[in-house]
Amino acid sequence: MALAFVLSALGGYGILDNNEGLYAEIPREMLASHDWRHWVIPHLNGLPYMEKPPLLYWLTALSFALFGVAEWSARLVPALASLTCVLSLLRFGDALQRPQAGRLAALMFISGLGVMAMSRTLMFDMLLTACLSAALMNAYLYHIRREVAKLRHAYAWLALALMAKGMVALVLFGAVLFFLLLPTLRSVGLLQTCRDWLEPRAVLIFVAIAAPWHIAASLVEPIFPWFYFINEHVLRFLGKREPHDYYSGAWWYYLPRMAIYLFPWSFLLPGLLQRAQRHNEPSSLSRFLLLAWLLPLLFFSVSSAKANYYLIAVMPFAVFQFALAIENRAFLRPWLRILPGVLIAALAGALYAVLASRADSLPAQPAILGATPVQFASIISICFAGTALLCATVAARWARIGILAYLALSAGGALALIVSLQAIEPQVSTRPLVHYLQTELAGRSVYLYRNFEEQSSLPFYLQAPVSVIDSRSYDLYWGNKLQANDLLISSEQFEQVLARRPVAVVVMERQRKDFEASSLFARMKEAQKIGKVGVFVN
């Protein structure tokens, strides 16, 4: 089931603009550079990019080297990371002698709508989640069994988590471990606890994995220590990072998103009103699971920098504790198994009514399978309502299937997501744009006007860095300051280019007025509009 949810149509749509485009281009440049320094200090669009550690880039570059540069090979690392989470949940359930809870947790995790989407998107967070979850699970098993091999495994996974997304891994691991051990500190003592947990070989394993890149990066780029440790970690958490290219939100920002991430399983929460029939898990396990998902949630909620994808890190332990609670209630009474389907059907019906009442005021493009976005969403709403009621019927009548009937909703959500992304590809990826540039405007030099991130897959598909006119890019900000280049140019510099060679300029629709107001517009004409951009030629 996990393989089906994660690998189906993995390359069925183009590399998405913004984050995925950035993180696919960096490993492509690593391979193309033939320069070892690019493997130490990653480069984006030909410029240094030091915001994140390199493990994701290294693994993706390895995927490209083995399987070629393609959409599915770019997404292979997060896909395998999510499958690693599944394996960790299964093994953790077996180790705790709760295999059914482990299997249910693994299914709920991989089929949750948000988790499934993140498993199919090239970003850091699924890799961080896999490594940090394995580190914490091994740490807990060491805590209850005192098997030193578990501690060494925990430190190895922690080092990989550090290499996956930086110091946040140490903060979260340290916080969970501190509060887990707090009740025992009085009896054991701080000194003895440190001796137990700082076992020399375990620490050596951690240092051997984590230290070399940090040292090499500091030697290759002198500004790296300040930029990486202060600007990217401390100042980002405080909301003072330069440049300010991230979102903020209220303290409850992540709470409704947790329900979306675990859809449809979040609708089983009312089932916890049923009295538990068994309570045989140790109190330390309940405390550990609560700490392992609640503390990261609190950390991200307090942080000034917020993003939807940060939430993935709390999901393995949240679903495991949820699965234990459901198993303790004998996988719920029939009427509680029906309730999620009824609630989802009601919400889908309400959404259909809202769409029907506002159909005239909503945009008619882009078309999805020949239907307007409103029509497509209305069809999906009806399908979800009918499927939810069918799932509720099956869950109530066939106890051996029970709540697993709701996997049909997960499958429907996955199908709707893939079909939607394929239909709106010109809006979210430059793959159709590059096909036009290479077939109809072959031989022209391609330039991008201002917004690099919103067309970030462009260099990936062109297989080369793209020059940006009057750049407003945050991700290229520091690279431009650190390295002299001819990739980020002014309008005046571009006017000189116009006189020398044929060019094609890609302009976002929302930047069109600024482009038309510039002196460049009079010397160019629009050749084609594709998705959310216009292509202008001289």
Side-chain angles (χ1 to χ4, degrees):
M1 191 66 73
L3 291 172
F5 277 116
V6 173
L7 300 181
S8 297
L10 190 62
Y13 44 91
I15 294 293
L16 305 178
D17 289 322
N18 213 311
N19 288 327
E20 191 174 45
L22 304 178
Y23 305 145
E25 172 61 9
I26 291 171
R28 189 203 66 78
E29 290 190 26
M30 280 182 171
L31 285 177
S33 69
H34 304 292
D35 185 346
W36 64 270
R37 288 168 296 187
H38 283 228
W39 292 74
V40 178
I41 300 295
H43 280 59
L44 170 64
N45 201 44
L47 300 174
Y49 184 79
M50 301 180 292
E51 293 189 7
K52 301 290 191 298
L55 182 59
L56 179 72
Y57 308 140
W58 290 347
L59 294 175
T60 306
L62 176 61
S63 177
F64 287 161
L66 292 175
F67 307 114
V69 178
E71 290 81 7
W72 74 269
S73 58
R75 297 180 179 123
L76 187 59
V77 174
L80 294 179
S82 67
L83 294 175
T84 301
C85 290
V86 168
L87 180 61
S88 295
L89 287 166
L90 293 173
R91 296 191 66 176
F92 195 54
D94 288 344
L96 299 173
Q97 298 183 337
R98 299 295 294 271
Q100 280 190 311
R103 289 195 291 272
L104 178 59
L107 271 173
M108 292 168 66
F109 173 82
I110 202 63
S111 61
L113 185 62
V115 176
M116 184 170 48
M118 288 299 298
S119 301
R120 308 167 58 85
T121 306
L122 178 59
M123 295 182 69
F124 294 90
D125 300 86
M126 188 58 77
L127 184 59
L128 168 68
T129 301
C131 297
L132 183 60
S133 298
L136 285 169
M137 289 175 185
N138 278 283
Y140 176 73
L141 293 176
Y142 171 74
H143 173 62
I144 62 174
R145 296 179 181 177
R146 294 298 162 178
E147 297 174 3
V148 71
K150 296 296 183 185
L151 180 62
R152 293 169 185 171
H153 291 160
Y155 274 63
W157 282 109
L158 179 60
L160 291 174
L162 175 67
M163 293 295 292
K165 205 177 178 181
M167 304 301 292
V168 65
L170 295 183
V171 172
L172 298 180
F173 183 88
V176 173
L177 195 61
F178 173 79
F179 284 102
L180 177 66
L181 299 178
L182 193 58
T184 65
L185 285 177
R186 293 180 182 176
S187 58
V188 177
L190 178 61
L191 185 58
Q192 184 59 45
T193 300
C194 290
R195 286 175 180 171
D196 290 342
W197 285 87
L198 296 177
E199 193 263 340
R201 287 191 181 181
V203 174
L204 182 61
I205 289 171
F206 175 84
V207 172
I209 296 173
W213 173 74
H214 290 85
I215 295 170
S218 299
L219 294 174
V220 171
E221 179 53 67
I223 200 177
F224 172 81
W226 173 86
F227 180 88
Y228 183 75
F229 293 106
I230 305 301
N231 193 56
E232 285 303 313
H233 288 87
V234 178
L235 297 183
R236 179 185 288 270
F237 181 82
L238 297 175
K240 297 182 179 180
R241 172 187 177 269
E242 183 183 359
H244 193 291
D245 63 340
Y246 44 88
Y247 302 103
S248 59
W251 64 268
W252 46 265
Y253 177 89
Y254 292 107
L255 297 181
R257 287 163 174 80
M258 284 195 73
I260 297 172
Y261 257 70
L262 285 180
F263 177 88
W265 310 109
S266 48
F267 284 85
L268 289 171
L269 278 172
L272 301 189
L273 297 174
Q274 177 184 332
R275 186 184 298 275
Q277 298 175 12
R278 56 184 288 188
H279 297 280
N280 60 349
E281 63 260 23
S283 60
S284 65
L285 175 60
S286 299
R287 187 171 72 254
F288 166 70
L289 292 172
L290 186 63
L291 291 171
W293 70 265
L294 187 57
L295 287 179
L297 180 62
L298 291 174
F299 174 84
F300 293 131
S301 297
V302 170
S303 172
S304 297
K306 291 183 171 64
N308 294 326
Y309 42 84
Y310 292 170
L311 193 59
I312 192 68
V314 313
M315 289 301 154
F317 295 103
V319 296
F320 196 90
Q321 191 162 41
F322 194 13
L324 281 175
I326 292 173
E327 188 188 28
N328 287 341
R329 288 157 178 80
F331 299 99
L332 307 183
R333 294 172 183 167
W335 73 271
L336 287 172
R337 298 200 297 264
I338 291 174
L339 190 57
V342 173
L343 292 175
I344 293 170
L347 286 175
L351 176 61
Y352 176 80
V354 170
L355 291 171
S357 65
R358 301 185 59 186
D360 294 337
S361 61
L362 296 173
Q365 293 293 331
I368 303 176
L369 298 180
T372 67
V374 174
Q375 291 170 339
F376 182 75
S378 298
I379 294 170
I380 292 297
S381 298
I382 295 171
C383 291
F384 260 77
T387 304
L389 293 176
L390 179 61
C391 291
T393 303
V394 172
R397 293 189 62 181
W398 286 279
R400 288 182 64 84
I401 298 176
I403 58 175
L404 296 185
Y406 293 109
L407 282 167
L409 285 172
S410 298
L415 180 61
L417 177 66
I418 293 169
V419 168
S420 299
L421 287 172
Q422 290 173 339
I424 65 171
E425 188 175 73
Q427 306 288 331
V428 297
S429 175
T430 64
R431 184 164 68 169
L433 169 64
V434 170
H435 177 74
Y436 169 77
L437 291 171
Q438 293 177 336
T439 55
E440 302 298 326
L441 301 177
R444 289 181 177 267
S445 300
V446 179
Y447 288 76
L448 183 60
Y449 185 70
R450 288 193 174 177
N451 291 81
F452 175 77
E453 287 80 3
E454 295 180 52
Q455 297 288 283
S456 64
S457 62
L458 190 58
F460 176 82
Y461 283 113
L462 288 173
Q463 300 283 290
V466 177
S467 295
V468 184
I469 307 165
D470 289 345
S471 173
R472 298 293 188 270
S473 170
Y474 289 123
D475 286 286
L476 302 179
Y477 174 83
W478 280 102
N480 187 45
K481 293 185 72 171
L482 292 173
Q483 180 177 306
N485 65 89
D486 57 1
L487 291 166
L488 305 190
I489 61 175
S490 65
S491 294
E492 292 74 19
Q493 291 172 311
F494 181 66
E495 286 182 353
Q496 298 175 15
V497 174
L498 283 174
R500 296 198 302 266
R501 59 176 178 263
V503 301
V505 180
V506 177
V507 182
M508 293 280 298
E509 278 300 302
R510 65 188 194 85
Q511 296 286 354
R512 188 185 185 98
K513 288 185 178 180
D514 292 336
F515 182 72
E516 290 177 349
S518 72
S519 58
L520 304 176
F521 182 70
R523 302 178 61 179
M524 310 196 77
K525 62 180 180 180
E526 186 169 13
Q528 185 71 34
K529 184 179 180 217
I530 300 174
K532 58 184 178 181
V533 304
V535 180
F536 292 81
V537 297
N538 58 349

